[in-house]
Amino acid sequence: MNTPTDHFSSLSFHQLQWIQTKLFMMSQYFLRSTKMAVLKSIESMILHLLLIIQSPVFDPKILLIVRLYLPKITQNDQKFPLLVYIHGGGFTIESAFSTYYDSYLHSLAAETNVFVVSVEYRLAPEHMIPVCYDDSWAAMKWVSQHANGEQGTKPWLKTHADFSRVFLSGDSAGANIAHNMMMRASMDEDKLGDGLRLVGMALIQPFFGNHEPDRIWSYCCPENPKSDDPRFNPAVHLNLLSKLVCSKVLICTGGADFIRDRGWTYYEALKKCVWKGQVEIKESEEEEHVFHLINPTCERAKALMKWMGDFFQQSS
């Protein structure tokens, strides 16, 4: 059985450089954003290093990583709906390894009874759009290898993931990426093979565009900073939306969210286009952006968790 030390010693120089850079960024994040003491920051860095070393690598050339979260198993061959989750952060911050997302996805897997694959992708400004989309698609391809009997090597996925019940989800920019992954799969299903059936999407406070210039998008996507880019503003491209391969979409907005209207615009566009699926929108009154990550024990965050659980189980 390989130990973390075995895994660590097998990494290349470039992979070790990547880890060093990632840990430095994490240390700055801890000290700047959460005001932790130095010892607490070092302790967290060590924990993150161990998690990185032990996590599945789906692209060894650039060390792209996923994290896996299993709900409680009561039978050896028990199958669960599979959820591919993509974190938010305006394409520039956060990580699948951050405390917010680690805690949230532990709870999501346990309370909604789904198998979660959490995707780590490279961030701007070091890696501008479309890198986040390409990295996330590489993760989708890695998952599909397990579904199609190819070279997938993770026994957890092969044993416990129900590849006939696959969902995509994310919050904020992660919801944007999740939508774009579904669009990419919809344009050419063969890319993921026949073994993966995409059932639905759950988009939490999605970061889409409107008709006004957006500073975040224009900064992260210099190749096409305009707000009518179909990756950023899908609501103005009804012909593309109508090709969504999934049959159900859940959109969750916050009543006080600064991008609340963009989720509603996306909802109205899905209702208007000729897509034959079912779309539902739920709103957490008076709540701001990603409130469920900041205050996961509040009543409205619990209600959001239940909406997600009902969607995954009823849509399966």
Side-chain angles (χ1 to χ4, degrees):
M1 177 178 179
N2 289 338
T3 66
T5 304
D6 295 330
H7 194 153
F8 188 76
S9 63
S10 68
L11 297 177
S12 71
F13 172 75
H14 294 293
Q15 291 170 337
L16 292 175
Q17 270 193 326
W18 184 91
I19 291 176
Q20 183 183 30
T21 302
K22 199 74 170 178
L23 288 173
F24 174 77
M25 292 171 61
M26 288 176 181
S27 69
Q28 298 303 303
Y29 172 78
F30 291 143
L31 293 171
R32 182 175 63 249
S33 301
T34 62
K35 311 300 183 185
M36 287 183 180
V38 173
L39 287 177
K40 187 69 175 177
S41 181
I42 292 173
E43 177 186 358
S44 298
M45 287 170 59
I46 293 172
L47 174 61
H48 278 77
L49 175 59
L50 291 173
L51 288 173
I52 290 171
I53 290 171
Q54 294 177 328
S55 296
V57 178
F58 64 87
D59 190 333
K61 294 180 182 177
I62 49 179
L63 199 63
L64 293 179
I65 296 173
V66 296
R67 297 199 63 192
L68 306 179
Y69 297 83
L70 262 175
K72 184 178 180 180
I73 299 171
T74 57
Q75 301 175 14
N76 290 337
D77 58 349
Q78 189 172 1
K79 299 283 188 181
F80 302 94
L82 179 64
L83 172 66
V84 178
Y85 192 92
I86 305 171
H87 72 80
F91 306 110
T92 61
I93 62 171
E94 285 298 345
S95 165
F97 294 88
S98 76
T99 303
Y100 280 135
Y101 287 103
D102 181 52
S103 176
Y104 176 67
L105 293 177
H106 271 295
S107 298
L108 186 67
E111 296 184 32
T112 68
N113 219 34
V114 295
F115 189 140
V116 181
V117 176
S118 177
V119 178
E120 179 81 341
Y121 57 89
R122 290 172 291 173
L123 303 172
E126 292 82 6
H127 304 282
M128 294 298 195
I129 290 172
V131 171
C132 60
Y133 299 127
D134 294 339
D135 288 354
S136 299
W137 185 249
M140 294 287 293
K141 292 285 288 180
W142 179 83
V143 170
S144 73
Q145 290 172 358
H146 295 78
N148 295 309
E150 298 176 22
Q151 64 267 39
T153 58
K154 286 297 161 185
W156 277 11
L157 271 175
K158 290 187 174 182
T159 304
H160 298 296
D162 184 347
F163 295 109
S164 70
R165 298 184 293 166
V166 180
F167 297 86
L168 304 185
S169 185
D171 59 275
S172 192
N176 173 294
I177 297 173
H179 159 80
N180 279 282
M181 294 305 96
M182 189 65 77
M183 284 304 313
R184 191 176 292 197
S186 303
M187 302 303 288
D188 189 352
E189 289 182 68
D190 291 339
K191 288 182 179 180
L192 295 178
D194 296 330
L196 205 67
R197 177 173 170 261
L198 296 170
V199 176
M201 286 191 296
L203 306 181
I204 305 174
Q205 300 173 328
F207 178 45
F208 291 129
N210 51 24
H211 297 291
E212 301 175 2
D214 188 279
R215 289 185 297 174
I216 295 176
W217 177 261
S218 61
Y219 173 71
C220 296
C221 188
E223 69 173 22
N224 187 12
K226 296 180 180 180
S227 60
D228 63 349
D229 188 307
R231 297 169 298 182
F232 185 50
N233 193 357
V236 298
H237 299 273
L238 297 183
N239 184 51
L240 290 177
L241 270 184
S242 67
K243 297 178 181 179
L244 278 175
V245 69
C246 62
S247 59
K248 294 192 176 183
V249 174
L250 171 66
I251 305 162
C252 299
T253 63
D257 185 8
F258 72 101
I259 55 172
R260 169 187 178 271
D261 63 307
R262 304 185 189 192
W264 279 92
T265 299
Y266 181 81
Y267 167 76
E268 295 295 343
L270 279 178
K271 296 281 285 187
K272 187 186 302 183
C273 75
V274 296
W275 175 63
K276 293 180 171 56
Q278 299 176 5
V279 59
E280 182 179 13
I281 192 164
K282 299 272 194 178
E283 182 155 294
S284 302
E285 296 180 3
E286 302 178 0
E287 294 295 353
E288 298 183 347
H289 200 58
V290 296
F291 75 96
H292 63 294
L293 299 177
I294 299 169
N295 189 12
T297 59
C298 73
E299 290 304 313
R300 291 192 180 106
K302 292 178 182 177
L304 174 57
M305 183 73 76
K306 187 177 187 307
W307 295 340
M308 298 279 281
D310 290 345
F311 179 72
F312 297 142
Q313 299 303 328
Q314 293 173 11
S315 300
S316 298

